[in-house]
Amino acid sequence: MLSTRISGKPLSNVLLNPRSIALVGASDDPRKTASRPLQYLRRTGYAGRVYPINPNKATVLGEAAWPSLSALPEIPESVFLLASTSAVIPTVQECIRLGVKVVTVLASGFSESGPEGVQREHELRDLVQGSSIRLLGPSSIGIVNPRNGLMLTANAAFAEPDLPVGRVFVASHSGSMIGALVSRGKARGVGFAGLVSVGSEVDLSLGEICSSTLDDPGVDGYLLFLESLHCGEDLRRFAIDAAKRGKPVIAYKLGRSDAAAEMVTTHTGAIAGEDDIADAFLKDCGVARVGILDALLETFPLAQRLALGEPSRQRRVGVVTTTGGGAAMVVDQLGLRGIEVQAPSVQTLQRLRERGIEVAAGRAVDLTLAGVNYEVMKTALDVLLEAPEFDLVVATIGSSARFQPQLAVKPIIDSLDNHRTPLAAMLVPDAPEALAALTAQGVPCFRSPEACADAIAAVFFRRTPATFRSHSSAAADARALSEAEAYRLLKQLGVPCAAFVTSALDGPPPDLAFDYPVVAKVCSAHIPHKTEVGGVLLGIRDEIGLAQAMATLRGNLAIRAPNVPCDQILVQKSVAGLAEVLVGYRVDPDAGPIVILAAGGIWAEVARDRSIRLAPVSVDTAREMVSEVKSLKTLTGLRGRPRGDLEALAQAVCALSQLALRPEMQVREAEVNPLMVLPEGQGVLAADALVWQA
C-alpha cells in the first residue's frame, strides 16, 4: 500500500502545508535561481517559518542566514535543497540524521546524465530507503500551494503576481510544465489547488503524491504531465481511488512517436509499443489522456460533466452552430478521433420546427446568423439537450463570440445545468472575454476544434477501472519454453490448440492420432523463432512426406543452427481458418500485465491493427477488443461473407489474460500467433505459440 503519512502526519500536509522550511543553498543574488524560493515565499506572505541556509553569507536577501541545518533553532519539516549535485548526498544524510520529514532536490545530474549519474541515483535511493525521510526529486523544481502562499519553487513563472486559486491539483514530471500551466491557466482564468514537480521519482512518486491529496476537500480533480509510467503501480492505484471518489484525472503523456524503447522478445511487445501500452494503461485506469496541450487545461470541466463509466454513454455527439465552417471543423476533428457526429433525428427536427426553428437535415444543426439571437440559440439548445440521440452537445459560436461576447455565450450558460445532456462550447474567433465568461460558469469551452475534439475523445474513451491488483515486475531474465511445453500451458488456461504429437527428430515418423496434411516443426526451447533456421515445413501429405520433412529439418539445423540443442520434432495437424490473429500477454515493467489482440500472421507487425488492455480482462472486455480490430469486421458476416467464431476468440483472449492471476506459472510473456479463427460455432485453434517464463 502507498504510504500517505510521514511520522504520523499526512503526506499532503508535510508537502503542501509545512510549518517550517529550510532553503539549503539559498542565494543572496536576486538574479539567481537559488534566490527565487525565498523571494516568492516572502511575496506571497507564507505564514510558516523560513530559514535560508548559506555558510558563506550572514544574510540572504536582507534576512539572517544560517550556516547549516544543524545550526537551526528547530528541525525544519521541509528542506528545499538548492545546492549543486555534489552537495545532495551529504545534505540528505544530514537531513536523515536530524529527522527532517521531507527534502526536495532541485539538482539534476543523476540517472539522466550517464553511468556516474546512475550510480549517484542508486546511492541516493539506497540512502533514503529504510529511513523516515521522504524525498521529492531529483530534478524537482518544487512545490506550490496557492491556497496558503507556499511558493516553494525555483520556477521563474511563479514571479507572476496574483495567481488564481482553483480546485485542480497538478503533478508533473517536468518542472517547467507547472510554470507553463500556471501562466496559461491565468490567461484563461483557471487556477489550481496545488502544483508539484515530481522530477525523477527516486522516492516519492507522482501517484503517491496525488493519492495523499484525494481526501482534500479543496481538490476536485487532477492534471498530470507524464514523461513515463516509471511508478505505474502507484499511478494506477491513485487513478482507481480517484475514480471511486468521482475526481477526474486528465493526463498529457509524452512518447506518442515511434521513437520508443525496444523492449520485446516476441511480436507482442513490438506490436504493442511503449506508447500503445501507456495509452491502454491510462484508459483502463479511467484517465482521460489528451494529445494537445491546450486540451490539458480545457478538458477538466467536461470530464466532470461526463461521468466515468455511465453505461448510457454511447459517444454520440450533436453539434449546433452559428457558423457552418466552424461546425465542419469540429465534425472533421471528431471523425479523425473515431467519434461520429450524430445527426438530429426526424423527431428532433420536428420539435425544432414546432418551436419556430427551421433547419436543413444534416450532421450539424446550422442556425446560421439567426443563432446569434438569444431566443433562437436558447430554444435550439433546449430541444437538443433533451433529445435522446445525443450524449453530448457542442455549440460552435462564430464571430459574435468576439464582438458580442456576453450575448453570444448567455444562452449556453443559461442552458448548462437544466438538461439531461452535457453541453460544451467551441469558439471559432479569438474571444478571450467569451471564454472567460464560460470558464467562470464552469462551461466546458474550447478555443480550437482540435482541442475540443481531443478533449471529447479523451473523456469518452476512458474506461471504468478494475480493482487494483499488485503485480511483480517483469523478470530481467526469462527462458523460452518449447512449443510443446507452451501448448500444455495454454491448455491449462483453456486456450484451444491444434492437435499435435512430438517425437525424436532422428527417429522414424511418429504415429499420428489425426489425419494428414500436417506441419512439421523443430521443437526446442533454444529455438523460439523456428522459421529463421528453416525449422518449419508445411503441407506434408503422407508418412513418406513426413520422413522426408524430418530429414530436411535435420539438414537445415546442421547448416543454420549446428550447435543449438534440438532433438525433438513437433508434428501438428494443418488448420485453415477464416482469419489468423495474434493473442499476446506480457508483463510490462511499468504498466504491469497486458493482453493484446492483433491481426495475425505476417500482418502482425505490418498492419498494427490491434487492441490492448490491462490484464486480466473479462469476456465482455475481450468482446470489445475483438470489435476494435478492424480486420476482424470481415468475420461479422459483412457483405455475405462467412461469419467467424468471434465469441470463441473473445473467450480465448480472456483465458490467456488470466495469466495475470496465475503468478505460480511465472509467465513473463506468452504469444499465440497465429490463432486460427474457424467458422462460427467451430471455435479457435492455436497453431503456433511462444511462452517465456521467469
Side-chain angles (χ1 to χ4, degrees), residues 212-236:
S212 74
T213 69
L214 280 168
D215 294 322
D216 185 336
V219 174
D220 288 343
Y222 299 84
L223 303 186
L224 311 180
F225 186 90
L226 306 175
E227 294 177 353
S228 71
L229 300 180
H230 175 60
C231 299
E233 279 204 23
D234 290 353
L235 180 57
R236 186 177 182 186

Side-chain angles (χ1 to χ4, degrees), residues 493-496 583 617-620 622-623 626 645-658 675 684:
L493 295 168
V495 179
V583 183
V617 298
S618 66
V619 176
D620 283 343
R623 292 184 187 115
V626 171
D645 202 334
L646 298 182
E647 179 61 22
L649 175 57
Q651 296 281 350
V653 172
C654 172
L656 188 67
S657 80
Q658 302 308 305
L675 180 72
V684 294

Side-chain angles (χ1 to χ4, degrees), residues 385-426:
L385 292 171
E386 293 299 325
E389 64 265 32
F390 303 127
D391 297 297
L392 172 71
V393 172
V394 179
T396 305
I397 308 301
S399 299
S400 59
R402 181 173 179 87
F403 297 105
Q404 298 173 297
Q406 294 302 323
L407 180 61
V409 302
K410 191 175 189 320
I412 297 172
I413 293 170
D414 290 349
S415 301
L416 184 64
D417 293 318
N418 301 319
H419 298 281
R420 60 174 292 277
T421 303
L423 173 63
M426 199 284 285

Side-chain angles (χ1 to χ4, degrees), residues 265-617:
T265 51
T266 68
H267 294 92
T268 298
I271 297 165
E274 183 180 12
D275 189 64
D276 296 315
I277 291 174
D279 197 63
F281 174 88
L282 293 170
K283 287 174 180 173
D284 275 351
C285 289
V287 175
R289 183 192 185 183
V290 298
I292 295 175
L293 187 57
D294 277 349
L296 183 59
L297 274 175
E298 295 173 342
T299 302
F300 177 71
L302 181 65
Q304 280 188 302
R305 293 178 179 276
L306 277 168
L308 176 64
E310 287 191 15
S312 62
R313 300 295 179 202
Q314 299 179 33
R315 304 170 186 163
R316 303 169 303 176
V317 178
V319 174
V320 58
T321 185
T322 62
T323 163
M329 289 190 291
V330 172
V331 171
D332 191 38
Q333 290 296 322
L334 284 169
L336 289 174
R337 291 162 175 82
I339 295 178
E340 188 172 345
V341 171
Q342 178 81 33
S345 66
V346 172
Q347 293 81 1
T348 297
L349 290 174
Q350 179 60 32
R351 282 192 287 272
L352 286 169
R353 289 191 204 98
E354 291 169 356
R355 303 288 294 274
I357 298 175
E358 189 75 39
V359 294
R363 290 204 183 276
V365 175
D366 190 354
L367 303 176
T368 66
L369 290 177
V372 176
N373 180 281
Y374 173 90
E375 291 299 333
V376 172
M377 177 58 81
K378 181 66 169 62
T379 300
L381 289 173
D382 286 343
V383 172
L384 297 175
L385 292 171
E386 293 299 325
E389 64 265 32
F390 303 127
D391 297 297
L392 172 71
V393 172
V394 179
T396 305
I397 308 301
S399 299
S400 59
R402 181 173 179 87
F403 297 105
Q404 298 173 297
Q406 294 302 323
L407 180 61
V409 302
K410 191 175 189 320
I412 297 172
I413 293 170
D414 290 349
S415 301
L416 184 64
D417 293 318
N418 301 319
H419 298 281
R420 60 174 292 277
T421 303
L423 173 63
M426 199 284 285
L427 308 187
V428 177
D430 181 28
E433 287 185 40
L435 279 171
L438 291 168
T439 299
Q441 297 300 318
V443 179
C445 54
F446 306 92
R447 55 182 178 180
S448 76
E450 293 83 5
C452 178
D454 193 49
I456 291 170
V459 170
F460 270 142
F461 287 127
R462 298 176 296 171
R463 296 186 278 265
T464 303
T467 302
F468 177 79
R469 294 182 179 92
S470 183
H471 66 270
S472 299
S473 297
D477 298 313
R479 69 176 187 91
L481 303 185
S482 72
E483 187 175 353
E485 291 172 321
Y487 286 141
R488 294 182 189 110
L489 184 144
L490 292 175
K491 286 182 178 179
Q492 289 182 57
L493 295 168
V495 179
C497 304
F500 72 93
V501 297
T502 57
S503 183
L505 183 58
D506 58 358
D511 294 330
L512 304 182
F514 44 85
D515 296 332
Y516 288 91
V518 298
V519 178
K521 312 176 191 180
V522 296
C523 185
S524 169
H526 302 283
I527 308 176
H529 303 295
K530 297 177 284 293
T531 55
E532 295 176 3
V533 299
V536 179
L537 296 175
L538 308 175
I540 301 165
R541 301 200 153 280
D542 51 36
E543 187 174 349
I544 294 174
L546 181 55
Q548 293 172 342
M550 292 172 70
T552 300
L553 292 175
R554 289 193 295 268
N556 289 347
L557 285 176
I559 296 170
R560 302 188 192 181
N563 300 316
V564 178
C566 180
D567 57 10
Q568 269 199 330
I569 183 176
L570 184 146
V571 182
Q572 188 175 51
K573 181 174 177 58
S574 294
V575 179
L578 298 179
E580 298 180 5
V581 297
L582 176 152
V583 183
Y585 167 90
R586 75 187 305 269
V587 180
D588 182 82
D590 296 322
I594 65 163
V595 64
I596 179 171
L597 171 65
I602 62 171
W603 296 106
E605 291 177 74
V606 177
R608 293 179 69 81
D609 178 15
R610 73 281 194 223
S611 177
I612 305 171
R613 294 289 193 279
L614 297 182
V617 298

